[in-house]
Amino acid sequence: MVQAPPEWRISEFVLSLTAASDATKRAYRTDLSQFAQWAARGGIDRPDDVDRRWLRRFVSHLSVRGLSRRSVARKASALRRYFAWLQRDGAISVDPTIGLAAPAGSGRLPRVLSVGEMSEMLGDGSVPDGAVALRDLLVLELLYGSGLRVAELCGLDRDAFRSPNTHIDVVGKGSKHRRIPLSEPATKLFEAWCSGGSDDFDEAKLARPADRDNAALLVNLRGKRLGPRDVQRILDRHAATPTHPHALRHTYATHLLDGGADLRVVQELLGHERLSTTQIYTRVSRERLREVYDSAHPRA
């Protein structure tokens, strides 16, 4: 990706996002660099030359390119935070993003897997033979049994679990820490991984065990910390149908609510800042209950 000229101060802005995740920082850097390149083609070389008219043109340009509503909304959010930062810093006198309209994200959630589908994917809870199988099953159990975000899973360090603890400490969005209970199968898998399974994986599967990321709990075949693509490959090997890793987190929340869990408790477990975010799952749960009612009740 071509870097924007220094006049745009994008690197400084990204450094100011101290509470943002690494993924958010990368996305904002990319979005803002793309905007700077697009603006340069129209003769705009500095952020203080941008007005609302140019921003509206950019949003229209993104829509014409066929980007999803969610992607356009994210890029608009990046622009709002960037120009607000420039105004606070005194680089511009007026924030041109005030009143900028952009399509809201679709709010579409991944498909919720059934209890039967999850049981088929995860097995009977026993510890599998083989280091790769052990690692893969631990990944799946953490995504579904504890509802971790993919970034939270990949960010786990070796000291995240200490036997005989039944909880793990994770770092979520905004660098917020929270403690999450482990399922019984996940606890057994953790104990097996930490008591020799990880070493077996390193010795049997890594071409250069000395290059392993020693801080990471879970690594790929290159010894590097697991990334989102690695997690997707693991799920591709074990899911009966194409499934996104985030669908397991949605399934976790929906199954909790279906089982009678309190909404505030689910909010805490998921690490949502706002209850309204968690309430999305109540809609999904209600829809699933309606489907069961329509298919099972003779008067439906």
mmCIF file with all atom_site columns, all heavy atoms in Angstrom, residues 10-20 25 81 85 88:
data_model
loop_
_atom_site.group_PDB
_atom_site.id
_atom_site.type_symbol
_atom_site.label_atom_id
_atom_site.label_alt_id
_atom_site.label_comp_id
_atom_site.label_asym_id
_atom_site.label_entity_id
_atom_site.label_seq_id
_atom_site.pdbx_PDB_ins_code
_atom_site.Cartn_x
_atom_site.Cartn_y
_atom_site.Cartn_z
_atom_site.occupancy
_atom_site.B_iso_or_equiv
_atom_site.pdbx_formal_charge
_atom_site.auth_seq_id
_atom_site.auth_comp_id
_atom_site.auth_asym_id
_atom_site.auth_atom_id
_atom_site.pdbx_PDB_model_num
ATOM 1   N N   . ILE A 1 10 ? -0.881  10.727 9.277  1.00 0.00 ? 10 ILE A N   1
ATOM 2   C CA  . ILE A 1 10 ? -1.670  9.533  9.592  1.00 0.00 ? 10 ILE A CA  1
ATOM 3   C C   . ILE A 1 10 ? -0.971  8.680  10.653 1.00 0.00 ? 10 ILE A C   1
ATOM 4   O O   . ILE A 1 10 ? -1.622  8.140  11.558 1.00 0.00 ? 10 ILE A O   1
ATOM 5   C CB  . ILE A 1 10 ? -1.947  8.732  8.309  1.00 0.00 ? 10 ILE A CB  1
ATOM 6   C CG1 . ILE A 1 10 ? -2.888  9.524  7.399  1.00 0.00 ? 10 ILE A CG1 1
ATOM 7   C CG2 . ILE A 1 10 ? -2.549  7.365  8.638  1.00 0.00 ? 10 ILE A CG2 1
ATOM 8   C CD1 . ILE A 1 10 ? -3.152  8.889  6.049  1.00 0.00 ? 10 ILE A CD1 1
ATOM 9   N N   . SER A 1 11 ? 0.344   8.570  10.562 1.00 0.00 ? 11 SER A N   1
ATOM 10  C CA  . SER A 1 11 ? 1.066   7.775  11.562 1.00 0.00 ? 11 SER A CA  1
ATOM 11  C C   . SER A 1 11 ? 0.910   8.370  12.957 1.00 0.00 ? 11 SER A C   1
ATOM 12  O O   . SER A 1 11 ? 0.758   7.642  13.951 1.00 0.00 ? 11 SER A O   1
ATOM 13  C CB  . SER A 1 11 ? 2.550   7.683  11.199 1.00 0.00 ? 11 SER A CB  1
ATOM 14  O OG  . SER A 1 11 ? 2.729   6.930  10.006 1.00 0.00 ? 11 SER A OG  1
ATOM 15  N N   . GLU A 1 12 ? 0.933   9.709  13.054 1.00 0.00 ? 12 GLU A N   1
ATOM 16  C CA  . GLU A 1 12 ? 0.728   10.355 14.352 1.00 0.00 ? 12 GLU A CA  1
ATOM 17  C C   . GLU A 1 12 ? -0.663  10.058 14.894 1.00 0.00 ? 12 GLU A C   1
ATOM 18  O O   . GLU A 1 12 ? -0.847  9.803  16.094 1.00 0.00 ? 12 GLU A O   1
ATOM 19  C CB  . GLU A 1 12 ? 0.911   11.868 14.229 1.00 0.00 ? 12 GLU A CB  1
ATOM 20  C CG  . GLU A 1 12 ? 2.328   12.318 13.974 1.00 0.00 ? 12 GLU A CG  1
ATOM 21  C CD  . GLU A 1 12 ? 2.402   13.834 13.897 1.00 0.00 ? 12 GLU A CD  1
ATOM 22  O OE1 . GLU A 1 12 ? 1.966   14.504 14.847 1.00 0.00 ? 12 GLU A OE1 1
ATOM 23  O OE2 . GLU A 1 12 ? 2.865   14.357 12.853 1.00 0.00 ? 12 GLU A OE2 1
ATOM 24  N N   . PHE A 1 13 ? -1.646  10.117 14.008 1.00 0.00 ? 13 PHE A N   1
ATOM 25  C CA  . PHE A 1 13 ? -3.021  9.826  14.435 1.00 0.00 ? 13 PHE A CA  1
ATOM 26  C C   . PHE A 1 13 ? -3.135  8.402  14.948 1.00 0.00 ? 13 PHE A C   1
ATOM 27  O O   . PHE A 1 13 ? -3.733  8.154  16.007 1.00 0.00 ? 13 PHE A O   1
ATOM 28  C CB  . PHE A 1 13 ? -3.978  10.037 13.263 1.00 0.00 ? 13 PHE A CB  1
ATOM 29  C CG  . PHE A 1 13 ? -5.345  9.454  13.491 1.00 0.00 ? 13 PHE A CG  1
ATOM 30  C CD1 . PHE A 1 13 ? -6.224  10.000 14.429 1.00 0.00 ? 13 PHE A CD1 1
ATOM 31  C CD2 . PHE A 1 13 ? -5.767  8.336  12.782 1.00 0.00 ? 13 PHE A CD2 1
ATOM 32  C CE1 . PHE A 1 13 ? -7.477  9.451  14.651 1.00 0.00 ? 13 PHE A CE1 1
ATOM 33  C CE2 . PHE A 1 13 ? -7.011  7.779  12.998 1.00 0.00 ? 13 PHE A CE2 1
ATOM 34  C CZ  . PHE A 1 13 ? -7.873  8.346  13.927 1.00 0.00 ? 13 PHE A CZ  1
ATOM 35  N N   . VAL A 1 14 ? -2.560  7.449  14.228 1.00 0.00 ? 14 VAL A N   1
ATOM 36  C CA  . VAL A 1 14 ? -2.642  6.047  14.642 1.00 0.00 ? 14 VAL A CA  1
ATOM 37  C C   . VAL A 1 14 ? -1.977  5.858  16.004 1.00 0.00 ? 14 VAL A C   1
ATOM 38  O O   . VAL A 1 14 ? -2.473  5.123  16.867 1.00 0.00 ? 14 VAL A O   1
ATOM 39  C CB  . VAL A 1 14 ? -2.017  5.127  13.576 1.00 0.00 ? 14 VAL A CB  1
ATOM 40  C CG1 . VAL A 1 14 ? -1.916  3.696  14.081 1.00 0.00 ? 14 VAL A CG1 1
ATOM 41  C CG2 . VAL A 1 14 ? -2.835  5.179  12.285 1.00 0.00 ? 14 VAL A CG2 1
ATOM 42  N N   . LEU A 1 15 ? -0.856  6.527  16.228 1.00 0.00 ? 15 LEU A N   1
ATOM 43  C CA  . LEU A 1 15 ? -0.184  6.429  17.523 1.00 0.00 ? 15 LEU A CA  1
ATOM 44  C C   . LEU A 1 15 ? -1.041  6.994  18.653 1.00 0.00 ? 15 LEU A C   1
ATOM 45  O O   . LEU A 1 15 ? -0.908  6.583  19.810 1.00 0.00 ? 15 LEU A O   1
ATOM 46  C CB  . LEU A 1 15 ? 1.156   7.162  17.474 1.00 0.00 ? 15 LEU A CB  1
ATOM 47  C CG  . LEU A 1 15 ? 2.277   6.485  16.683 1.00 0.00 ? 15 LEU A CG  1
ATOM 48  C CD1 . LEU A 1 15 ? 3.494   7.399  16.608 1.00 0.00 ? 15 LEU A CD1 1
ATOM 49  C CD2 . LEU A 1 15 ? 2.656   5.149  17.318 1.00 0.00 ? 15 LEU A CD2 1
ATOM 50  N N   . SER A 1 16 ? -1.928  7.930  18.328 1.00 0.00 ? 16 SER A N   1
ATOM 51  C CA  . SER A 1 16 ? -2.794  8.522  19.357 1.00 0.00 ? 16 SER A CA  1
ATOM 52  C C   . SER A 1 16 ? -3.894  7.569  19.800 1.00 0.00 ? 16 SER A C   1
ATOM 53  O O   . SER A 1 16 ? -4.538  7.799  20.829 1.00 0.00 ? 16 SER A O   1
ATOM 54  C CB  . SER A 1 16 ? -3.424  9.820  18.836 1.00 0.00 ? 16 SER A CB  1
ATOM 55  O OG  . SER A 1 16 ? -4.483  9.556  17.915 1.00 0.00 ? 16 SER A OG  1
ATOM 56  N N   . LEU A 1 17 ? -4.127  6.493  19.046 1.00 0.00 ? 17 LEU A N   1
ATOM 57  C CA  . LEU A 1 17 ? -5.210  5.554  19.359 1.00 0.00 ? 17 LEU A CA  1
ATOM 58  C C   . LEU A 1 17 ? -4.723  4.530  20.384 1.00 0.00 ? 17 LEU A C   1
ATOM 59  O O   . LEU A 1 17 ? -4.657  3.331  20.123 1.00 0.00 ? 17 LEU A O   1
ATOM 60  C CB  . LEU A 1 17 ? -5.684  4.847  18.079 1.00 0.00 ? 17 LEU A CB  1
ATOM 61  C CG  . LEU A 1 17 ? -6.195  5.761  16.958 1.00 0.00 ? 17 LEU A CG  1
ATOM 62  C CD1 . LEU A 1 17 ? -6.469  4.950  15.697 1.00 0.00 ? 17 LEU A CD1 1
ATOM 63  C CD2 . LEU A 1 17 ? -7.454  6.494  17.396 1.00 0.00 ? 17 LEU A CD2 1
ATOM 64  N N   . THR A 1 18 ? -4.376  4.999  21.548 1.00 0.00 ? 18 THR A N   1
ATOM 65  C CA  . THR A 1 18 ? -3.753  4.127  22.538 1.00 0.00 ? 18 THR A CA  1
ATOM 66  C C   . THR A 1 18 ? -4.670  3.024  23.042 1.00 0.00 ? 18 THR A C   1
ATOM 67  O O   . THR A 1 18 ? -4.207  1.967  23.471 1.00 0.00 ? 18 THR A O   1
ATOM 68  C CB  . THR A 1 18 ? -3.269  4.966  23.740 1.00 0.00 ? 18 THR A CB  1
ATOM 69  O OG1 . THR A 1 18 ? -4.376  5.735  24.247 1.00 0.00 ? 18 THR A OG1 1
ATOM 70  C CG2 . THR A 1 18 ? -2.158  5.923  23.313 1.00 0.00 ? 18 THR A CG2 1
ATOM 71  N N   . ALA A 1 19 ? -5.985  3.255  23.010 1.00 0.00 ? 19 ALA A N   1
ATOM 72  C CA  . ALA A 1 19 ? -6.920  2.256  23.529 1.00 0.00 ? 19 ALA A CA  1
ATOM 73  C C   . ALA A 1 19 ? -7.439  1.322  22.447 1.00 0.00 ? 19 ALA A C   1
ATOM 74  O O   . ALA A 1 19 ? -8.153  0.369  22.745 1.00 0.00 ? 19 ALA A O   1
ATOM 75  C CB  . ALA A 1 19 ? -8.097  2.934  24.220 1.00 0.00 ? 19 ALA A CB  1
ATOM 76  N N   . ALA A 1 20 ? -7.085  1.571  21.188 1.00 0.00 ? 20 ALA A N   1
ATOM 77  C CA  . ALA A 1 20 ? -7.608  0.765  20.084 1.00 0.00 ? 20 ALA A CA  1
ATOM 78  C C   . ALA A 1 20 ? -6.784  -0.511 19.925 1.00 0.00 ? 20 ALA A C   1
ATOM 79  O O   . ALA A 1 20 ? -5.604  -0.561 20.267 1.00 0.00 ? 20 ALA A O   1
ATOM 80  C CB  . ALA A 1 20 ? -7.599  1.558  18.787 1.00 0.00 ? 20 ALA A CB  1
ATOM 81  N N   . LYS A 1 25 ? -6.225  -0.261 14.486 1.00 0.00 ? 25 LYS A N   1
ATOM 82  C CA  . LYS A 1 25 ? -5.194  0.665  14.023 1.00 0.00 ? 25 LYS A CA  1
ATOM 83  C C   . LYS A 1 25 ? -4.799  0.379  12.578 1.00 0.00 ? 25 LYS A C   1
ATOM 84  O O   . LYS A 1 25 ? -4.638  1.302  11.771 1.00 0.00 ? 25 LYS A O   1
ATOM 85  C CB  . LYS A 1 25 ? -3.971  0.569  14.934 1.00 0.00 ? 25 LYS A CB  1
ATOM 86  C CG  . LYS A 1 25 ? -4.206  1.084  16.347 1.00 0.00 ? 25 LYS A CG  1
ATOM 87  C CD  . LYS A 1 25 ? -2.962  0.880  17.211 1.00 0.00 ? 25 LYS A CD  1
ATOM 88  C CE  . LYS A 1 25 ? -3.203  1.335  18.637 1.00 0.00 ? 25 LYS A CE  1
ATOM 89  N NZ  . LYS A 1 25 ? -2.025  1.099  19.502 1.00 0.00 ? 25 LYS A NZ  1
ATOM 90  N N   . ARG A 1 81 ? -13.015 10.146 13.247 1.00 0.00 ? 81 ARG A N   1
ATOM 91  C CA  . ARG A 1 81 ? -12.041 10.168 14.343 1.00 0.00 ? 81 ARG A CA  1
ATOM 92  C C   . ARG A 1 81 ? -10.784 10.921 13.943 1.00 0.00 ? 81 ARG A C   1
ATOM 93  O O   . ARG A 1 81 ? -10.202 11.654 14.753 1.00 0.00 ? 81 ARG A O   1
ATOM 94  C CB  . ARG A 1 81 ? -11.692 8.740  14.766 1.00 0.00 ? 81 ARG A CB  1
ATOM 95  C CG  . ARG A 1 81 ? -12.839 8.002  15.429 1.00 0.00 ? 81 ARG A CG  1
ATOM 96  C CD  . ARG A 1 81 ? -12.408 6.703  16.059 1.00 0.00 ? 81 ARG A CD  1
ATOM 97  N NE  . ARG A 1 81 ? -11.489 6.897  17.176 1.00 0.00 ? 81 ARG A NE  1
ATOM 98  C CZ  . ARG A 1 81 ? -11.071 5.913  17.968 1.00 0.00 ? 81 ARG A CZ  1
ATOM 99  N NH1 . ARG A 1 81 ? -11.498 4.670  17.769 1.00 0.00 ? 81 ARG A NH1 1
ATOM 100 N NH2 . ARG A 1 81 ? -10.228 6.142  18.959 1.00 0.00 ? 81 ARG A NH2 1
ATOM 101 N N   . TRP A 1 85 ? -9.539  14.467 15.610 1.00 0.00 ? 85 TRP A N   1
ATOM 102 C CA  . TRP A 1 85 ? -8.195  14.535 16.217 1.00 0.00 ? 85 TRP A CA  1
ATOM 103 C C   . TRP A 1 85 ? -7.427  15.733 15.676 1.00 0.00 ? 85 TRP A C   1
ATOM 104 O O   . TRP A 1 85 ? -6.771  16.459 16.443 1.00 0.00 ? 85 TRP A O   1
ATOM 105 C CB  . TRP A 1 85 ? -7.444  13.242 15.932 1.00 0.00 ? 85 TRP A CB  1
ATOM 106 C CG  . TRP A 1 85 ? -6.006  13.258 16.345 1.00 0.00 ? 85 TRP A CG  1
ATOM 107 C CD1 . TRP A 1 85 ? -5.503  13.109 17.602 1.00 0.00 ? 85 TRP A CD1 1
ATOM 108 C CD2 . TRP A 1 85 ? -4.870  13.444 15.471 1.00 0.00 ? 85 TRP A CD2 1
ATOM 109 N NE1 . TRP A 1 85 ? -4.123  13.188 17.582 1.00 0.00 ? 85 TRP A NE1 1
ATOM 110 C CE2 . TRP A 1 85 ? -3.718  13.389 16.296 1.00 0.00 ? 85 TRP A CE2 1
ATOM 111 C CE3 . TRP A 1 85 ? -4.728  13.640 14.112 1.00 0.00 ? 85 TRP A CE3 1
ATOM 112 C CZ2 . TRP A 1 85 ? -2.443  13.525 15.774 1.00 0.00 ? 85 TRP A CZ2 1
ATOM 113 C CZ3 . TRP A 1 85 ? -3.451  13.782 13.580 1.00 0.00 ? 85 TRP A CZ3 1
ATOM 114 C CH2 . TRP A 1 85 ? -2.317  13.723 14.413 1.00 0.00 ? 85 TRP A CH2 1
ATOM 115 N N   . ARG A 1 88 ? -8.744  18.868 17.364 1.00 0.00 ? 88 ARG A N   1
ATOM 116 C CA  . ARG A 1 88 ? -8.272  18.989 18.746 1.00 0.00 ? 88 ARG A CA  1
ATOM 117 C C   . ARG A 1 88 ? -6.800  19.403 18.796 1.00 0.00 ? 88 ARG A C   1
ATOM 118 O O   . ARG A 1 88 ? -6.371  20.113 19.705 1.00 0.00 ? 88 ARG A O   1
ATOM 119 C CB  . ARG A 1 88 ? -8.456  17.657 19.492 1.00 0.00 ? 88 ARG A CB  1
ATOM 120 C CG  . ARG A 1 88 ? -9.896  17.304 19.784 1.00 0.00 ? 88 ARG A CG  1
ATOM 121 C CD  . ARG A 1 88 ? -9.968  16.177 20.810 1.00 0.00 ? 88 ARG A CD  1
ATOM 122 N NE  . ARG A 1 88 ? -9.233  14.990 20.399 1.00 0.00 ? 88 ARG A NE  1
ATOM 123 C CZ  . ARG A 1 88 ? -9.731  14.005 19.677 1.00 0.00 ? 88 ARG A CZ  1
ATOM 124 N NH1 . ARG A 1 88 ? -10.996 14.065 19.262 1.00 0.00 ? 88 ARG A NH1 1
ATOM 125 N NH2 . ARG A 1 88 ? -8.995  12.951 19.359 1.00 0.00 ? 88 ARG A NH2 1
#
